[in-house]
Amino acid sequence: MPVSERIKTDLNFLADALMPGPYRCFLCLEEDMIGEDGLCDACRAELKYLPNPTYLAPLDGVTIGLQYNDKLSSAVMRFKKGGQKAYAGFFTQYLSVPEEWQADMLIPVPMHPYRRWRRGFNHTELLASYLSASVGVPYSSKLLFKIRNTREQKASLGPAERRRNIRGSFACDPLVKGMRIVLIDDVFTTGATVYECAKVLKQAGAKKVYLSAVTSPAH
């Protein structure tokens, strides 16, 4: 076998070995007694929930599952950049859509087409599809668009830089008029991206715009 092929095989084996599964915890990746939630007892005990997150207009409400920590950060990276799509089902258990929101549509926070092509999928779209099946609210990835390929919203960017970076980068279909919409995202940090999405949706006539996210630093 050529060296290049052997290296590729070894890397594929390593990636498979680090995949979560029936016997490997989604957060620590250790083989252990795993519960139905995909977690070992130690990682489950470390989780902290965020029942009352704070938010600002133009959002009309927010639900967040978990407080961000290092293990969650690594798991998010394995999902969105490592292509481990099994995390979609795992993370969806921490998303919710309260009945009082009377949601008409779930909309994943979009990626620019070029970035989506490079990555091969939009992780928030996978989350929205799983959540839609769970709560019975339809989802669409065709109502909100990323029209400008911005820099990634990295931790190195401050809140003001994040707002400037994302400003004017979204557009939406007029069909959102009158809808109660729930944006779906993995991590809610400063909120710059989802606030910009909500602003565009409200300007197009959306009646209400909410956010359901998997995790966030303490809000």
Side-chain angles (χ1 to χ4, degrees):
M1 179 186 294
V3 173
S4 60
E5 287 299 315
R6 188 165 66 248
I7 291 173
K8 184 177 179 180
T9 300
D10 290 344
L11 289 175
N12 288 338
F13 175 80
L14 178 60
D16 290 341
L18 295 177
M19 283 283 284
Y23 307 107
R24 196 180 293 276
C25 175
F26 273 86
L27 293 187
C28 68
L29 299 180
E30 295 293 330
E31 289 189 85
D32 206 336
M33 295 294 293
I34 308 302
E36 292 183 359
D37 57 0
L39 296 172
C40 65
D41 291 342
C43 286
R44 189 181 303 109
E46 293 176 6
L47 294 181
K48 294 181 180 179
Y49 294 88
L50 289 174
N52 297 299
T54 59
Y55 61 91
L56 300 170
L59 286 174
D60 296 293
V62 171
T63 64
I64 296 170
L66 302 170
Q67 184 171 322
Y68 207 53
N69 62 25
D70 289 342
K71 287 183 179 179
L72 277 167
S73 174
S74 297
V76 167
M77 288 300 103
R78 290 194 291 272
F79 176 36
K80 63 198 279 185
K81 295 193 175 180
Q84 296 189 14
K85 297 180 182 180
Y87 276 94
F90 169 72
F91 283 136
T92 299
Q93 67 187 314
Y94 302 110
L95 295 169
S96 62
V97 179
E99 288 187 13
E100 59 267 26
W101 287 359
Q102 298 180 315
D104 299 307
M105 187 69 64
L106 309 180
I107 294 183
V109 171
M111 297 174 69
H112 188 271
Y114 175 73
R115 187 165 292 173
R116 191 187 191 286
W117 173 77
R118 286 286 302 272
R119 188 173 293 179
F121 72 108
N122 181 0
H123 61 290
T124 61
E125 188 175 336
L126 276 181
L127 292 174
S129 68
Y130 273 73
L131 184 60
S132 175
S134 175
V135 302
V137 178
Y139 84 96
S140 175
S141 59
K142 301 183 184 299
L143 294 175
L144 183 65
F145 325 100
K146 187 80 176 290
I147 57 175
R148 184 164 59 83
N149 192 15
T150 59
R151 291 182 294 165
E152 286 193 61
Q153 297 285 71
K154 294 183 178 180
S156 57
L157 296 179
E161 289 178 295
R162 284 174 177 247
R163 289 192 295 271
R164 285 193 296 270
N165 182 46
I166 208 72
R167 191 173 295 141
S169 62
F170 295 101
C172 69
D173 192 302
L175 288 174
V176 301
K177 185 176 181 179
M179 286 187 178
R180 296 179 176 89
I181 290 168
V182 182
L183 292 167
I184 306 300
D185 207 357
D186 55 344
V187 182
F188 180 55
T189 309
T190 65
T193 299
V194 293
Y195 287 138
E196 185 70 15
C197 290
K199 182 182 78 173
V200 169
L201 290 165
K202 286 285 187 73
Q203 288 173 342
K207 186 173 184 178
K208 297 285 185 180
V209 181
Y210 305 98
L211 169 70
S212 182
V214 175
T215 183
S216 174
H219 272 256

